[in-house]
Amino acid sequence: MMMSLILSMPVAGVIFAFRQSNDAGKVIVIILFVGSIITWSVMLTKFKDLHQARKASQQFISAYRSEGHPVSLFLKRQKFAENPLSCIYDKSCAALGVTLESHGADPEDLFMGGIGSVQKLEEIHLRSIRNIVDRSVTDQVALLENAMGWLAIATTTAPLLGLLGTVWGVMESFGAMAITGAAMLSAVAPGISGALLTTVIGLLVALPSAIGYNMLSDQIRRLTVQTDNFAQELISDMECQYLQMK
């Protein structure tokens, strides 16, 4: 993407400006170009992953709510595409099975609650399962936010890096003018042109990164809310089914 933006500019002017840049400016341009490749790779990958996670989560929550018992899908070993909700669900049901089995219940009879023969649990046991659900939610949110730091770094660092190259290049151009004693604009124009290139490249990296970061953050926020809501729904369903009333 950055290459297409650069190519839309006068190619000869960009090449000329790059050639007129000092060594520091050329290094900064190369760093920004590599950073642009990384940020676009991260953005495209995250958009794809979040789209798949959102679609799979919706399919899972629809299947879960169509069942009459909170662990029916787990016992049926129904497979879904990997998504935050199914990961939380599997870990929670596995923990519930271990807890029930430790109280003498047959794991194969986990969803016999509708008949009234299910093993009831005390609040302290369901609290431990709730803690597992909470930890699973935290883990899934951390996975959703994975690699977002690259975009934040690109957004804040690229313009500053470009500005550094510009200031450095302008300083050298005026320094050379002072040494040679040439006061004509033509003496410093090539160096300034090369120096300004780093700012342009820095902005071309930072602007898409900022837009992508905000769009991805919004999608992550929506998935996080959906994940939290499902966790509360799952815990509530398990309490209704297994909590021993005093």
Side-chain angles (χ1 to χ4, degrees), residues 29 54-55 59 76 107 166 169 180-181 191 195 223-225 234 238:
V29 169
R54 185 172 63 253
K55 182 179 179 180
Q59 292 175 345
K76 293 177 181 178
T166 296
T180 59
L223 275 171
T224 299
V225 171
L234 178 61
M238 286 184 175

Side-chain angles (χ1 to χ4, degrees), residues 23-173:
D23 292 340
K26 291 178 180 177
V27 170
I28 289 175
V29 169
I30 293 173
I31 291 174
L32 290 172
F33 180 77
V34 174
S36 176
I37 295 175
I38 294 174
T39 54
W40 274 101
S41 298
V42 170
M43 282 192 292
L44 294 177
T45 301
K46 291 295 292 184
F47 274 118
K48 178 183 177 182
D49 292 344
L50 291 176
H51 174 73
Q52 293 176 345
R54 185 172 63 253
K55 182 179 179 180
S57 295
Q58 192 59 45
Q59 292 175 345
F60 176 82
I61 195 67
S62 298
Y64 173 79
R65 289 172 178 170
S66 67
E67 298 290 337
H69 194 279
V71 297
S72 294
L73 293 177
F74 183 75
L75 291 175
K76 293 177 181 178
R77 294 177 173 83
Q78 190 169 344
K79 298 296 182 182
F80 294 89
E82 185 175 351
N83 63 88
L85 304 190
S86 64
C87 292
I88 294 170
Y89 179 77
D90 289 342
K91 291 182 180 179
S92 304
C93 289
L96 176 63
V98 171
T99 303
L100 289 172
E101 190 173 7
S102 67
H103 285 71
D106 186 347
E108 296 298 326
D109 295 333
L110 283 178
F111 62 174
M112 296 296 290
I115 306 176
S117 60
V118 74
Q119 173 72 47
K120 294 295 185 178
L121 298 175
E122 296 180 0
E123 172 65 25
I124 188 172
H125 301 117
L126 285 172
R127 190 180 305 146
S128 65
I129 296 173
R130 188 183 301 115
N131 291 336
I132 292 175
V133 173
D134 292 339
R135 288 197 299 270
S136 299
V137 169
T138 303
D139 292 340
Q140 293 304 312
V141 171
L143 288 176
L144 290 175
E145 295 176 346
N146 184 42
M148 289 294 290
W150 284 106
L151 299 183
I153 291 173
T155 300
T156 57
T157 305
L160 296 178
L161 197 58
L163 180 61
L164 172 63
T166 296
V167 173
W168 196 330
V170 170
M171 181 180 64
E172 284 197 0
S173 296

Side-chain angles (χ1 to χ4, degrees), residues 145-223:
E145 295 176 346
N146 184 42
M148 289 294 290
W150 284 106
L151 299 183
I153 291 173
T155 300
T156 57
T157 305
L160 296 178
L161 197 58
L163 180 61
L164 172 63
T166 296
V167 173
W168 196 330
V170 170
M171 181 180 64
E172 284 197 0
S173 296
F174 280 105
M177 184 178 66
I179 293 174
T180 59
M184 294 184 298
L185 181 61
S186 59
V188 296
I192 293 177
S193 175
L196 292 174
L197 179 64
T198 58
T199 295
V200 173
I201 302 299
L203 292 175
L204 290 178
V205 175
L207 289 176
S209 299
I211 295 172
Y213 181 85
N214 290 329
M215 293 177 64
L216 289 169
S217 296
D218 181 66
Q219 293 188 26
I220 291 173
R221 181 185 62 80
R222 293 174 184 273
L223 275 171

Side-chain angles (χ1 to χ4, degrees), residues 12-23 26 190-191 193-195 197:
V14 173
I15 295 176
F16 174 79
F18 182 78
R19 289 178 176 175
Q20 296 301 318
S21 299
N22 57 14
D23 292 340
K26 291 178 180 177
S193 175
L197 179 64

